[in-house]
Amino acid sequence: MSFQDIIMQFQCESTDGPAQKGILSTESYKLKTPTILFPKSSLYQTPHFAEGFIDVIDNTKKNGRNPIITVGNSIYFHQESTEKEVVEDFIIIPESLPQSVKKYFYQYDEQHHDQLIILPSDPDLINESILAKSSQILIVSNALQLFSNPLNYVKYITAIRKRCSYDSLLFLPSIANPSTLAVLCYSGADLFDATSAILTSRHHQFFLPDTTSSHVDSIHENPCVCPMCSQTEQLPSSFSFDQLLQHNYSMLYQELILIHHAIQQHHLRDLVEKRIRNAPELVTLLRYLDSTGYEYVEQRSSVSMPESYILQSTSREAGFRPEIKRFQQRVLDRYQKPSNKKILLLLPCSAKKPYSFSKSHQRFNQAISKVKNHSLIHEIIITSPLGLVPRELELTYPAASYDISVTGSWYEDEKQMIQEQLDHYLKNNCYEAIVSHLPKTLIHPSSNIETIWHSSLQDEKATSKNSLRKLSDILSTLTSPMEPDFLSKNDQKRMQIQAIATYQFGTKLADALTKNIIVKGKYPYLKFFDEKGQQLGMIPEGRGLISLTAEGGKRMDQFHDYRVTINTGFTVKGSILSPGVTIASKSIRKGDDVLVFQGDAYLGVGSALMNGIEMSQRSYGVAVNMRHKQKN
Ligand SMILES: [Zn+2]
């Protein structure tokens, strides 16, 4: 990769949370990112898989064709120069690297320094105009020191990422090793170097295929089949330095390729949750990213996933995933229960998703439908780690697609989370009675829950005949004195759609969208129309959210939310490319349905492939897939 004669451009191909996979191009090279840059030096044999290099510019051959990244007057190599020392003051380098290696690292390229920027350790010292540019490499000069303090690292990386363009690439020198690479990419970094492999080899450490490392003397059977290891019978303890380095390079590179695959498949978070087990400070880092960095990560997380996607909740950290926290917050802040519902029924979850397709929920459904005024009953499924899942939202991500280990017993923190959410939920949603078909110890009366009717029997399954009979009996006792629900079947379905719309768009937009609609179809596949018979939207299979038609979008066009405005002067055909976007609502997340305007004219609806801020910044890529254009 040569940055000597270039204008760099970054083209993002896919994102997974804050991580991005793409191509960094110059006139003569294309580099797949995230990537690891290898030192190009006569001291070390460069591995055959290396794509990007770090090298020293020989001033006598300034226009040579060597693939080089040239930054600063060497992070590793000090050169007397008053102008450049200012930059170098911020640079912290691993002292243990030999001088001969250091000089092969970053060199300053005066012609193109505006695309290669060394960032100081304090984000407040960074010039805003520098961050406003796109397609540039931002080098975090103090990466090693920053990374030693997980909270500082998270604060720094989120501050930089929020202020720089989505197309900028973050280079974190010296800190990537097989254990840390996944979480570094997940935090939003793109470029790394192979320093860890050199240092590890110098310390006679051997990267193991599980991303940990061991001293070569402790390895009595080589567990690796990399090109280096598979061509020798020798044990790592008798490897030469170069053999050991080639192996360690391979391990680092193998992890990088796994990360590329994980980003493509939207499974980077799963990989991160596995890798952080290698060190407590990595767990700490992820916890800070989920808490302090929540807003940053959430903005970059999709609201819907491909139907085949399963969120594997296999660790404590999985419960703090941004999409889970966002689901919980939207249930509490946006969602409004259907107004005809008077009795809250809390049900246990099922392994099969959506819940209503499971045997247990079909039994609950039979018991509920025996009750005369059963349309007054509102079902909420209680589950960990999501908390409360109103029946109308059981098809949405992640409620429709998570997997969790089920033992039947609840941890104290899970109980507390559920109780707190229920208390909060009941402040915004009123019922005349609450019935719990859950273990008795799970929910307790509180300031918002005066009385709970328990319908499940101790020592019996929730699906046993006796439990189900008790459930029907309690619900009948509670509903029979109540006024019957006079709502038509259509109005009941309308309220179901409205409830989903409040979760998806907020109350104001939901009310505008669902006013006087006519609903057709059988749950869960509902379509809805206006009085003239024009379709406004539907709940498509596998998404669980409303997919709008152009007419549906038009009903919400007086609000300035979920809106993407594009340049005038061209005809929109299939999709909206991000350079055409002038402004987009900050509320938009990848996977959302959005309203598209050309100037002031309403064009139609589409699905967002980027979040709102991202689509107004990216130089390449599809921002919105147009689905329905307004008929002229
Ligand atoms: Zn090996």
Side-chain angles (χ1 to χ4, degrees):
M1 185 87 208
S2 171
F3 295 136
Q4 292 175 53
D5 54 353
I6 48 134
I7 306 269
M8 275 187 285
Q9 281 174 331
F10 178 67
Q11 198 161 349
C12 179
E13 291 177 336
S14 53
T15 57
D16 188 11
Q20 55 179 354
K21 185 173 166 292
I23 306 278
L24 179 67
S25 318
T26 71
E27 284 165 12
S28 43
Y29 292 91
K30 283 188 190 302
L31 186 61
K32 278 185 248 161
T33 71
T35 199
I36 293 162
L37 305 167
F38 291 85
K40 204 170 175 60
S41 149
S42 54
L43 279 177
Y44 309 122
Q45 193 193 331
T46 353
H48 67 90
F49 44 74
E51 290 176 349
F53 300 98
I54 300 169
D55 202 350
V56 69
I57 287 189
D58 181 347
N59 283 331
T60 57
K61 294 189 238 162
K62 194 140 190 182
N63 296 316
R65 307 296 305 166
N66 254 6
I68 302 165
I69 180 165
T70 56
V71 181
N73 205 355
S74 176
I75 284 178
Y76 295 82
F77 177 65
H78 184 75
Q79 200 171 70
E80 298 301 325
S81 158
T82 47
E83 193 192 335
K84 289 157 192 167
E85 272 169 16
V86 179
V87 176
E88 285 176 356
D89 281 347
F90 298 112
I91 296 172
I92 288 161
I93 58 162
E95 275 305 314
S96 49
L97 272 188
Q99 199 62 33
S100 52
V101 181
K102 290 178 184 176
K103 76 168 186 176
Y104 284 103
F105 283 73
Y106 322 102
Q107 283 277 313
Y108 188 61
D109 182 347
E110 284 171 352
Q111 275 184 314
H112 300 290
H113 67 277
D114 60 330
Q115 287 199 304
L116 297 162
I117 292 158
I118 297 181
L119 298 176
S121 56
D122 182 350
D124 293 339
L125 295 179
I126 298 166
N127 187 328
E128 288 295 331
S129 63
I130 288 178
L131 291 175
K133 291 176 188 168
S134 69
S135 283
Q136 56 187 356
I137 295 179
L138 303 171
I139 302 149
V140 181
S141 57
N142 58 341
L144 201 61
Q145 191 196 36
L146 253 187
F147 194 63
S148 66
N149 182 321
L151 180 57
N152 286 351
Y153 173 80
V154 166
K155 283 182 179 170
Y156 186 89
I157 210 108
T158 53
I160 296 300
R161 268 280 170 223
K162 277 182 195 168
R163 287 161 64 193
C164 73
S165 159
Y166 272 79
D167 281 341
S168 288
L169 299 180
L170 271 186
F171 182 7
L172 299 179
S174 308
I175 60 174
N177 64 40
S179 274
T180 60
L181 199 55
V183 75
L184 292 171
C185 289
Y186 181 72
S187 72
D190 308 277
L191 303 175
F192 311 94
D193 61 39
T195 309
S196 72
I198 300 171
L199 293 181
T200 300
S201 307
R202 291 214 166 269
H203 293 134
H204 309 285
Q205 291 279 323
F206 185 87
F207 284 146
L208 293 164
D210 71 354
T211 72
T212 60
S213 65
S214 269
H215 195 277
V216 286
D217 291 344
S218 69
I219 298 167
H220 302 294
E221 197 175 342
N222 188 347
C224 177
V225 288
C226 79
M228 175 64 243
C229 294
S230 50
Q231 58 178 257
T232 179
E233 303 265 294
Q234 283 174 274
L235 280 174
S237 53
S238 49
F239 277 12
S240 67
F241 172 76
D242 196 51
Q243 283 179 306
L244 185 56
L245 179 63
Q246 293 307 314
H247 158 82
N248 283 333
Y249 275 166
S250 287
M251 291 296 101
L252 193 54
Y253 182 70
Q254 184 175 302
E255 180 68 2
L256 177 75
I257 299 308
L258 265 180
I259 290 168
H260 281 209
H261 174 73
I263 295 174
Q264 192 77 50
Q265 300 296 314
H266 312 292
H267 278 300
L268 183 60
R269 174 73 186 213
D270 296 322
L271 187 62
V272 169
E273 286 173 18
K274 285 177 196 147
R275 294 301 184 241
I276 58 169
R277 304 282 157 244
N278 290 343
E281 57 272 21
L282 296 178
V283 176
T284 309
L285 195 155
L286 185 64
R287 290 187 183 167
Y288 281 130
L289 206 51
D290 286 339
S291 54
T292 311
Y294 169 71
E295 195 189 316
Y296 162 78
V297 185
E298 186 279 319
Q299 193 173 69
R300 288 157 176 80
S301 302
S302 187
V303 291
S304 62
M305 280 291 185
E307 217 175 325
S308 57
Y309 183 87
I310 304 285
L311 191 161
Q312 302 284 3
S313 180
T314 54
S315 71
R316 194 184 160 84
E317 285 70 33
F320 303 111
R321 287 190 187 206
E323 59 266 61
I324 289 178
K325 199 163 160 185
R326 172 172 58 205
F327 180 90
Q328 294 169 339
Q329 285 193 342
R330 287 191 178 187
V331 167
L332 299 182
D333 300 339
R334 289 185 174 191
Y335 173 84
Q336 292 288 322
K337 73 160 179 94
S339 57
N340 59 323
K341 305 287 186 186
K342 303 269 193 288
I343 308 284
L344 173 59
L345 170 60
L346 303 172
L347 291 171
C349 65
S350 60
K352 192 180 167 80
K353 313 284 179 319
Y355 309 118
S356 50
F357 293 11
S358 71
K359 279 194 178 137
S360 61
H361 277 248
Q362 282 164 5
R363 286 195 188 139
F364 298 149
N365 187 35
Q366 282 167 6
I368 295 163
S369 53
K370 282 181 191 157
V371 179
K372 201 174 128 206
N373 282 334
H374 62 83
S375 66
L376 300 173
I377 299 162
H378 188 220
E379 297 164 43
I380 288 189
I381 295 93
I382 298 294
T383 180
S384 182
L386 282 172
L388 275 57
V389 182
R391 176 68 80 194
E392 302 83 34
L393 300 181
E394 68 168 358
L395 296 161
T396 62
Y397 175 74
S401 45
Y402 68 96
D403 229 341
I404 186 166
S405 135
V406 178
T407 58
S409 53
W410 296 79
Y411 291 107
E412 283 308 313
D413 58 343
E414 291 176 315
K415 288 186 195 172
Q416 193 188 339
M417 178 267 289
I418 286 164
Q419 183 82 32
E420 282 172 8
Q421 281 198 40
L422 188 60
D423 279 348
H424 188 146
Y425 173 81
L426 291 170
K427 283 183 192 166
N428 304 335
N429 295 277
C430 293
Y431 298 91
E432 291 181 20
I434 299 169
V435 179
S436 168
H437 200 61
L438 302 163
K440 257 187 183 166
T441 53
L442 195 57
I443 311 281
H444 300 283
S446 68
S447 53
N448 290 310
I449 313 171
E450 283 173 15
T451 324
I452 306 168
W453 297 76
H454 289 282
S455 54
S456 62
L457 293 167
Q458 210 151 11
D459 306 324
E460 284 208 31
K461 282 185 168 182
T463 48
S464 76
K465 267 188 184 169
N466 290 335
S467 284
L468 293 172
R469 193 179 305 127
K470 190 173 175 195
L471 175 65
S472 298
D473 288 349
I474 290 180
L475 291 172
S476 295
T477 311
L478 289 167
T479 55
S480 55
M482 289 179 176
E483 288 272 314
D485 190 353
F486 291 115
L487 288 179
S488 64
K489 277 265 181 306
N490 181 66
D491 280 344
Q492 288 174 20
K493 285 182 182 170
R494 175 172 61 77
M495 296 210 163
Q496 208 168 9
I497 301 258
Q498 192 175 8
I500 297 171
T502 58
Y503 170 85
Q504 188 174 351
F505 299 112
T507 314
K508 278 186 195 166
L509 277 73
D511 289 352
L513 175 65
T514 57
K515 196 177 175 192
N516 299 330
I517 55 170
I518 294 144
V519 186
K520 293 178 185 171
K522 193 167 173 269
Y523 182 81
Y525 310 118
L526 303 175
K527 292 179 177 179
F528 58 103
F529 302 81
D530 65 11
E531 302 96 319
K532 293 181 206 152
Q534 294 190 101
Q535 192 177 344
L536 301 172
M538 66 185 290
I539 314 285
E541 199 174 339
R543 186 160 176 263
L545 293 171
I546 294 165
S547 287
L548 298 165
T549 65
E551 291 303 325
K554 184 138 186 53
R555 284 191 155 205
M556 305 191 287
D557 70 353
Q558 72 272 36
F559 303 100
H560 287 265
D561 222 359
Y562 291 95
R563 177 190 278 240
V564 178
T565 305
I566 59 169
N567 282 321
T568 53
F570 66 95
T571 310
V572 174
K573 290 188 179 147
S575 44
I576 310 284
L577 301 176
S578 52
V581 175
T582 51
I583 191 163
S585 312
K586 284 184 185 165
S587 53
I588 297 170
R589 298 287 175 269
K590 190 174 159 188
D592 264 326
D593 259 29
V594 294
L595 282 61
V596 179
F597 287 77
Q598 193 162 31
D600 291 331
Y602 172 66
L603 272 193
V605 292
S607 48
L609 301 187
M610 298 175 180
N611 71 52
I613 297 172
E614 183 180 6
M615 59 177 74
S616 55
Q617 285 187 1
R618 292 259 189 218
S619 314
Y620 292 92
V622 177
V624 181
N625 254 337
M626 280 301 280
R627 206 176 42 242
H628 294 289
K629 279 177 78 177
Q630 173 86 338
K631 290 187 194 92
N632 291 319

